[in-house]
Structure formats: structure tokens, C-alpha cells
Amino acid sequence: MNTENKNQPITFIFWVVAIILGVTLYKQFDFKNLKFENPAMAVIYGIVFLFSVYYIFKNSKKQPK
């Protein structure tokens, strides 16, 4: 089994996580007051969101053209 095929399900999971957390961060942000409803959770969501986006881009560069 190729490592490319092995990483595809993991990359898909990180795509789903990134989309869900991105939407959640967007919904929790109050644009009128420029604040998050729950700042502590927003920090955790942001860290996991950035990690998942980093992982997606890191693995997209490894795939052959």
C-alpha cells in the first residue's frame, strides 16, 4: 500500500475538521463588537484549525504532480 493512499483518509479528516472549526469560529465572532462570544474556546478552536490547515498544506506538497 502506498503512503499516498494511506494519507488520503487522514487528510480528508483534517479537511472536515478545518471546515467545521472555521465555520464555528466565524459564527462565534461578533462583528459588531469585534469579540468572540467565548474567547477561551475560540483560542482552542483557532489552534486546532491552524494545525489542521498546516497539516493539509504540508501533505499537499508531498503528492506527485
Side-chain angles (χ1 to χ4, degrees):
M1 184 176 216
N2 292 342
T3 58
E4 298 163 1
N5 292 339
K6 196 183 264 187
N7 285 338
Q8 284 180 338
I10 296 171
T11 304
F12 176 74
I13 292 170
F14 276 103
W15 268 105
V16 171
V17 169
I19 290 169
I20 290 171
L21 289 178
V23 170
T24 303
L25 283 170
Y26 180 78
K27 285 183 177 181
Q28 284 191 355
F29 189 72
D30 183 14
F31 288 99
K32 190 174 185 178
N33 297 325
L34 298 176
K35 292 183 180 180
F36 284 101
E37 292 176 12
N38 192 349
M41 288 302 291
V43 170
I44 294 171
Y45 291 157
I47 290 170
V48 176
F49 175 76
L50 291 175
F51 175 76
S52 61
V53 170
Y54 168 76
Y55 185 84
I56 291 168
F57 283 119
K58 186 178 105 175
N59 280 344
S60 68
K61 292 181 181 180
K62 289 183 179 180
Q63 293 181 358
K65 295 180 181 178

